[in-house]
Amino acid sequence: MGRPPCCDKGVKKGPWTPEEDIILVTYIQDHGAGNWRSVPTNTGLMRCSKSCRLRWTNYLRPGIKRGNFTDQEEKLIIHLQALLGNRWAAIASYLPERTDNDIKNYWNTHLKKKLMRKLQAADDHQAALISASGRNSYNSISKGQWERRLQTDIHTAKQALCEALSLDTKPCPAPPPLPPANTCNYASSTENIARLLQNWMKKSPKLPRRREISSGSSGSNVCSDTTTESPASAEKKFFAARAAKVEFRMDSDVTPELSETSFLQEESKPSSGAPVPAPALSFFETWLFEDVGNGGVGDLVDLPLSDAPDLFQE
DNA sequence: AAGTAGTTCAACCGCCATCTA
DNA sequence: CTAGATGGCGGTTGAACTACT
């Protein structure tokens, strides 16, 4: 026999109302995040536990930064997407103030198109060169380009792996500015609830699309929901995130195509989620550490973007 | 002002790994 | 050990919004 069912039928769907938000926030303030299956029953919310978790992690959780992505964030996302594929949760671990959903949306609505345009423009330019020269210069150009890109890709991969592995000496990847432990439950919940109410009042009856409800939500009370977890659980997550970082395309044959299109990979469960074989990892680690001696790991953001930085400029 | 097309993003869906009775 | 629930993730959808005609 398994566990009892988590949510019964008759659960409510659709946009969350401010009342529901308040109930959920209040409950999490009192009990902490986690044990989602008990949330609907204990709060009386007619929502499935999954929906509660999603609402909390993607919207109500303190420390979520909303609004436009900065150039730095954008570049970091592009880098990480090239490295990790569409592993939004892993990517989000590098941007603690952004949710995986936000990053995913931003990628799908902005970055992918942007990069497509750039790539298209580059292709057009290349085609123009070919037709202008009247000879087949494409191969030499493209070969030179992908070789350089490949080199950059490898370099970037090494940097990322190095960062992942060097976590042993760091407390946390891209550590978010955590508030004092005792404020982490939901430090500013009162404030947040007040804001919820305020916005609710302001809003007309036809509610949803409440983007501003938690917008600007106090950068001061940044705290990840892992702070409400047991250390063991947090540690588990940490290692999972770390594993995800290490698990990048080590098993793939590096080809020009891969290098060229890494950022456009549609179906990128890169490596199809296949775990990295230990021998490959140790080889990689060895290779990596041989190289790390000269300088260590800088911020990913500061890495050169591919071989064509202009690709990412507006 | 009204209609239409394009964009954004919150929320849902389905799958998978893990957990637990 | 097993069946089934849970939690987490990535893909997708569709309502709300915005820009354009």
Side-chain angles (χ1 to χ4, degrees), chain A residues 179-218:
Chain A
N182 61 345
T183 65
C184 264
N185 218 0
Y186 193 84
S188 61
S189 65
T190 316
E191 179 191 333
N192 285 344
I193 291 169
R195 195 180 299 117
L196 284 170
L197 277 167
Q198 229 172 18
N199 281 284
W200 182 27
M201 303 289 216
K202 275 191 280 183
K203 284 289 171 187
S204 57
K206 52 153 205 154
L207 263 163
R209 208 73 178 175
R210 288 158 291 120
R211 287 174 193 166
E212 63 278 60
I213 279 183
S214 55
S215 68
S217 129
S218 54

Side-chain angles (χ1 to χ4, degrees), chain A residues 131-199:
Chain A
S131 64
S133 68
R135 61 197 166 84
N136 190 1
S137 57
Y138 180 85
N139 282 345
S140 59
I141 290 172
S142 125
K143 189 182 173 196
Q145 277 188 343
W146 82 251
E147 276 175 353
R148 280 199 302 153
R149 192 168 293 185
L150 177 61
Q151 209 166 14
T152 312
D153 252 16
I154 292 169
H155 173 69
T156 308
K158 284 171 71 176
Q159 297 267 14
L161 178 63
C162 177
E163 189 187 38
L165 293 172
S166 65
L167 288 173
D168 285 336
T169 58
K170 295 180 188 173
C172 182
L178 291 171
N182 61 345
T183 65
C184 264
N185 218 0
Y186 193 84
S188 61
S189 65
T190 316
E191 179 191 333
N192 285 344
I193 291 169
R195 195 180 299 117
L196 284 170
L197 277 167
Q198 229 172 18
N199 281 284

Side-chain angles (χ1 to χ4, degrees), chain A residues 10-303:
Chain A
V11 293
K12 190 181 166 194
K13 289 183 180 180
W16 280 65
T17 65
E19 299 100 310
E20 290 175 313
D21 281 344
I22 291 166
I23 292 169
L24 181 59
V25 164
T26 309
Y27 178 82
I28 291 174
Q29 180 189 15
D30 292 341
H31 301 87
N35 195 15
W36 294 106
R37 75 167 174 267
S38 68
V39 174
T41 45
N42 291 351
T43 59
L45 283 168
M46 301 300 287
R47 296 277 181 174
C48 133
S49 59
K50 222 170 179 177
S51 182
C52 295
R53 182 180 59 82
L54 215 62
R55 182 64 180 170
W56 172 256
T57 54
N58 285 342
Y59 205 87
L60 298 173
R61 177 167 62 90
I64 294 178
K65 184 167 140 195
R66 314 200 73 83
N68 295 337
F69 281 67
T70 64
D71 283 351
Q72 208 181 30
E73 286 174 321
E74 193 175 301
K75 286 177 181 176
L76 182 55
I77 292 168
I78 291 167
H79 260 305
L80 292 169
Q81 205 280 340
L83 279 169
L84 303 168
N86 296 356
R87 293 182 190 178
W88 306 117
I91 292 172
S93 70
Y94 285 91
L95 294 103
E97 294 182 323
R98 302 288 187 178
T99 69
D100 52 356
N101 211 31
D102 272 348
I103 293 171
K104 179 171 61 183
N105 281 334
Y106 188 66
W107 174 265
N108 288 330
T109 58
H110 293 90
L111 295 179
K112 205 155 78 172
K113 286 176 194 167
K114 193 170 168 180
L115 294 174
M116 284 283 215
R117 277 202 303 271
K118 296 290 184 183
L119 202 65
Q120 184 61 51
D123 284 351
D124 290 349
H125 179 63
Q126 218 163 46
L129 281 177
I130 292 167
S131 64
S133 68
R135 61 197 166 84
N136 190 1
S137 57
Y138 180 85
N139 282 345
S140 59
I141 290 172
S142 125
K143 189 182 173 196
Q145 277 188 343
W146 82 251
E147 276 175 353
R148 280 199 302 153
R149 192 168 293 185
L150 177 61
Q151 209 166 14
T152 312
D153 252 16
I154 292 169
H155 173 69
T156 308
K158 284 171 71 176
Q159 297 267 14
L161 178 63
C162 177
E163 189 187 38
L165 293 172
S166 65
L167 288 173
D168 285 336
T169 58
K170 295 180 188 173
C172 182
L178 291 171
N182 61 345
T183 65
C184 264
N185 218 0
Y186 193 84
S188 61
S189 65
T190 316
E191 179 191 333
N192 285 344
I193 291 169
R195 195 180 299 117
L196 284 170
L197 277 167
Q198 229 172 18
N199 281 284
W200 182 27
M201 303 289 216
K202 275 191 280 183
K203 284 289 171 187
S204 57
K206 52 153 205 154
L207 263 163
R209 208 73 178 175
R210 288 158 291 120
R211 287 174 193 166
E212 63 278 60
I213 279 183
S214 55
S215 68
S217 129
S218 54
S220 59
N221 63 343
V222 174
C223 96
S224 75
D225 52 353
T226 57
T227 54
T228 60
E229 306 169 338
S230 67
S233 159
E235 187 183 41
K236 224 175 75 184
K237 275 194 175 177
F238 166 70
F239 282 110
R242 184 181 140 180
K245 282 170 208 159
V246 177
E247 203 186 322
F248 72 104
R249 306 174 290 176
M250 294 201 296
D251 55 334
S252 49
D253 294 326
V254 183
T255 65
E257 292 79 4
L258 175 83
S259 181
E260 289 280 343
T261 61
S262 56
F263 59 78
L264 293 176
Q265 47 195 324
E266 291 290 338
E267 321 310 334
S268 53
K269 301 221 173 183
S271 333
S272 62
V276 178
L281 179 61
S282 59
F283 161 76
F284 216 80
E285 284 181 52
T286 311
W287 170 55
L288 175 73
F289 287 122
E290 278 171 4
D291 208 44
V292 171
N294 1 317
V297 184
D299 191 341
L300 266 175
V301 185
D302 298 327
L303 293 174

